[in-house]
Amino acid sequence: MFNLDDYISIVGENEISELRLISEKLRGKSIVNINSTSIGGGVAEILNRMVPLLKDMGVNVRWECIKGGEKFFIITKKFHNALHGKKEQLSKEDFELYLDTVRDNVLSLSLDADILFIHDPQPAALVLERNKYKNRWIWRCHIDLSQRDENLWNFLKPMIEQYDASVFSAPSFTQGLLHRQMLIPPSIDPLSDKNKELPRQTIDEVLSRFKIDAERPIVTQISRFDYLKDPVGVIEAYKLVKQYVNCQLVLAGGSADDDPEGVKVLAEVRQKAGEDPDIHILCLPPTSHIEINALQRASTVILQKSLKEGFGLTVSEALWKGKPVIASSVGGIPLQITHKYSGILTHSIEGTAHWLKQLLQNPEYAKKLGDNGREQVRNNFLLTRHLREYMLLFLSLDHPNETLIYF
Ligand code: UDP
C-alpha cells in the first residue's frame, strides 16, 4: 500500500508537509463522497486513489455509491448527455423515477457525516433531504455545463442551489448560482498502476497478448465506448492516415456500471472497423490498469477525439507518460494542452488526421510536445494539488460569509 511520503520524489517535500498541515485542521470532521459507480469512468478513478490517501493523512473520509435499476441509469445517462449539450427526450415520468430512486437511497446511505461531497447529477437530489441533518453539502460537477439543456437545468438548478457550494473543473462550466462556485480541476495519481513507470518487459508482454506489433507505429484512444468519445471518428481519422503511414489503431475501453450505452457503441465501432487487422478493438475489464498503462506507454501518438468532455483524465494520463496527444478542443482538454506546445488541439476528423500524419512523420517534434505535456501535468494535474484544494474547500465551509479566509 502507498502513503503520502511516496510522493515526495515527484512533487518535493514542501508540498507534502503542507498537505499534512492542512489535513490536521480537518481532524474531527467526517466527510462522505457519494457518486454512482465504484468502477469505470473518471470519478471512480479519482476516488479510488484519493480516499485511501486522505485516510492515510488521518482524515475521516468515506465513499459510498447510490444504487438504481436499469431505467434509472438510462435516465441519468440522458442527464449526462443533455448536460453536455446533446438533445435528449426526458419526460415527466423520467424526472419522477429519478427523484424516487434517489429518495430510496436515503435509507441505505449514511448521510450523517459533517460534509456531504456529492459527485455529478446522479445522486444530486440527495440534497433534498438535507433538512434532516445539520451538515454541509457540496456538489462536485465533473460535466461541461457550458451548453447544457435548458429544460433539464431548470429541473436541476433549484436542487443544486440547496448546496452550500459547487465545484467545477473549468471556468466555462460555471453557472449563475446563488452559492459559492470553486474551480478545481481533476488530477491523476502518478503512483497508481495506471500511471506508474513500467518495465519494458511488461509493455511488450501486453502488446503480444493483444497481438499488437511493437515494430510499427501505434495510435491509441483509451475511452469508454461512448458516442461522446467519438470512437467512430477516430477510425475515420486513422483510415485517412493509413494511406500514408503503415500504422495500427488501438481503441481500448470498457464499460461503467452507470453507462448503459456501451454495448451499442461497441457494435457500431466493430462494424466501422470491418476486417482491418490493424485495428485492435479491446474491450477490457475494469481492473485493467496495468494494461492501459502499458498501451499508453507503447503508443506512438495518443488521441482523444471527444465530441464533449468533462475534463478528460485520459489526456493527463497520456501526457504524464510523455506522449504526444492530439485531442479535441472541448471541455477541460484545453486546460491540459496548449496547442503546438504541449500537444495538439483539433476540431474535426480531417484536422485530427492531418496532425496525426504530421506527428507520425516528425518524431522529434512529437517528442517535444510529449515532454512539454509531462511538465504541464506535473505542475497542474497531479493528485497532490487536487488533495490540497479539496481539503481547503472542506475547511472553507466553516467560513461561509468570508471572502478572504486565513487558515
Ligand atoms: N478507463 C479505464 N478503462 C477503460 C476506459 C477508461 O480504466 O476501459 C479509465 C481511464 O484510464 C481514465 C478514466 O477511466 O482514468 C476515464 O476518465 P475520463 O475523464 O477520461 O473520462 P470519463 O469516462 O470520466 O468520461
Side-chain angles (χ1 to χ4, degrees):
M1 207 46 199
F2 53 101
N3 74 48
L4 200 59
D5 288 338
D6 297 339
Y7 294 79
I8 291 175
S9 63
I10 298 170
V11 295
E13 205 153 347
N14 285 352
E15 186 146 346
I16 301 304
S17 328
E18 194 187 354
L19 286 181
R20 290 210 187 279
L21 271 176
I22 301 172
S23 71
E24 277 167 27
K25 294 189 184 287
L26 275 170
R27 293 279 153 80
K29 276 197 197 311
S30 53
I31 299 152
V32 59
N33 288 274
I34 301 178
N35 78 324
S36 57
T37 176
S38 61
I39 43 171
V43 181
E45 185 83 20
I46 293 167
L47 291 176
N48 259 311
R49 303 297 293 181
M50 188 170 264
V51 170
L53 267 183
L54 282 167
K55 281 188 176 154
D56 179 63
M57 284 188 267
V59 178
N60 179 359
V61 61
R62 293 184 283 122
W63 171 17
E64 298 195 33
C65 294
I66 57 160
K67 295 186 180 59
E70 198 189 342
K71 272 193 182 160
F72 174 74
F73 286 117
I74 290 174
I75 293 165
T76 56
K77 185 66 201 287
K78 283 194 202 171
F79 278 21
H80 177 91
N81 290 339
L83 288 174
H84 269 301
K86 191 169 172 243
K87 266 272 145 282
E88 292 283 0
Q89 291 299 324
L90 282 159
S91 64
K92 193 164 157 275
E93 290 71 37
D94 289 341
F95 290 135
E96 276 165 14
L97 192 142
Y98 165 76
L99 289 173
D100 287 345
T101 310
V102 177
R103 210 172 292 124
D104 288 347
N105 273 274
V106 173
L107 302 171
S108 53
L109 296 167
S110 317
L111 302 181
D112 55 352
D114 296 312
I115 297 172
L116 273 290
F117 200 29
I118 309 294
H119 297 261
D120 281 338
Q122 298 93 333
L126 286 171
V127 75
L128 299 175
E129 302 292 317
R130 75 169 291 176
N131 287 343
K132 294 185 189 147
Y133 306 88
K134 282 200 175 62
N135 44 20
R136 301 277 183 192
W137 290 66
I138 309 170
W139 188 51
R140 200 316 174 201
C141 177
H142 296 265
I143 296 173
D144 174 358
L145 296 186
S146 58
Q147 287 164 19
R148 79 234 167 348
D149 174 87
E150 199 63 24
N151 182 35
L152 174 59
W153 186 242
N154 287 341
F155 168 72
L156 289 175
K157 189 179 172 196
M159 198 181 289
I160 301 308
E161 288 194 320
Q162 299 203 29
Y163 284 83
D164 297 291
S166 297
V167 181
F168 295 96
S169 299
S172 61
F173 301 1
T174 57
Q175 296 296 311
L177 291 168
L178 295 173
H179 59 226
R180 272 186 189 169
Q181 297 179 64
M182 317 279 176
L183 290 178
I184 305 183
S187 64
I188 59 161
D189 182 346
L191 299 181
S192 66
D193 283 348
K194 180 72 61 60
N195 296 308
K196 69 185 184 188
E197 297 288 332
L198 290 179
R200 185 68 227 182
Q201 197 189 344
T202 308
I203 298 171
D204 288 341
E205 186 275 318
V206 169
L207 289 184
S208 97
R209 186 162 14 121
F210 293 124
K211 302 190 171 47
I212 300 165
D213 180 0
E215 302 303 319
R216 284 185 296 142
I218 301 169
V219 179
T220 302
Q221 175 162 297
I222 308 283
S223 274
R224 288 179 295 106
F225 290 100
D226 181 325
Y227 292 110
L228 296 184
K229 308 287 182 183
D230 200 16
V232 168
V234 170
I235 296 178
E236 286 177 15
Y238 153 85
K239 285 186 173 169
L240 290 174
V241 173
K242 181 76 174 176
Q243 305 163 29
Y244 305 96
V245 185
N246 185 12
C247 56
Q248 307 161 86
L249 177 66
V250 175
L251 281 168
S255 56
D257 285 354
D258 59 351
D259 180 3
E261 281 180 336
V263 177
K264 221 166 127 219
V265 178
L266 182 58
E268 283 178 32
V269 168
R270 288 215 162 104
Q271 199 191 9
K272 183 81 192 174
E275 299 301 315
D276 186 337
D278 282 336
I279 302 182
H280 300 269
I281 299 167
L282 311 179
C283 206
L284 304 175
T287 48
S288 313
H289 303 301
I290 297 282
E291 285 80 359
I292 289 175
N293 187 345
L295 290 168
Q296 287 168 329
R297 287 181 189 279
S299 298
T300 320
V301 175
I302 294 189
L303 304 182
Q304 190 58 54
K305 218 212 131 304
S306 305
L307 302 173
K308 302 279 176 183
E309 193 56 75
F311 178 71
L313 281 182
T314 48
V315 171
S316 290
E317 289 163 6
L319 294 174
W320 179 244
K321 291 162 186 115
K323 293 295 163 180
V325 177
I326 303 171
S328 307
S329 183
V330 294
I333 292 176
L335 291 179
Q336 305 181 61
I337 292 181
T338 305
H339 184 52
K340 294 203 227 173
Y341 174 74
S342 51
I344 298 293
L345 294 174
T346 58
H347 300 86
S348 64
I349 290 169
E350 292 73 20
T352 304
H354 166 80
W355 278 106
L356 180 55
K357 181 166 163 268
Q358 294 293 318
L359 296 195
L360 290 172
Q361 292 177 337
N362 292 285
E364 268 179 39
Y365 178 53
K367 181 172 182 315
K368 188 93 197 110
L369 295 176
D371 290 347
N372 292 342
R374 180 170 164 92
E375 288 318 299
Q376 194 137 327
V377 173
R378 188 197 303 279
N379 294 329
N380 301 288
F381 303 117
L382 295 184
L383 183 62
T384 39
R385 184 273 310 156
H386 200 181
L387 280 168
R388 173 163 35 84
E389 292 182 343
Y390 272 178
M391 288 196 291
L392 290 173
L393 163 67
F394 299 149
L395 289 171
S396 76
L397 293 174
D398 288 338
H399 306 262
N401 301 316
E402 295 164 46
T403 47
L404 195 58
I405 304 168
Y406 292 98
F407 291 119

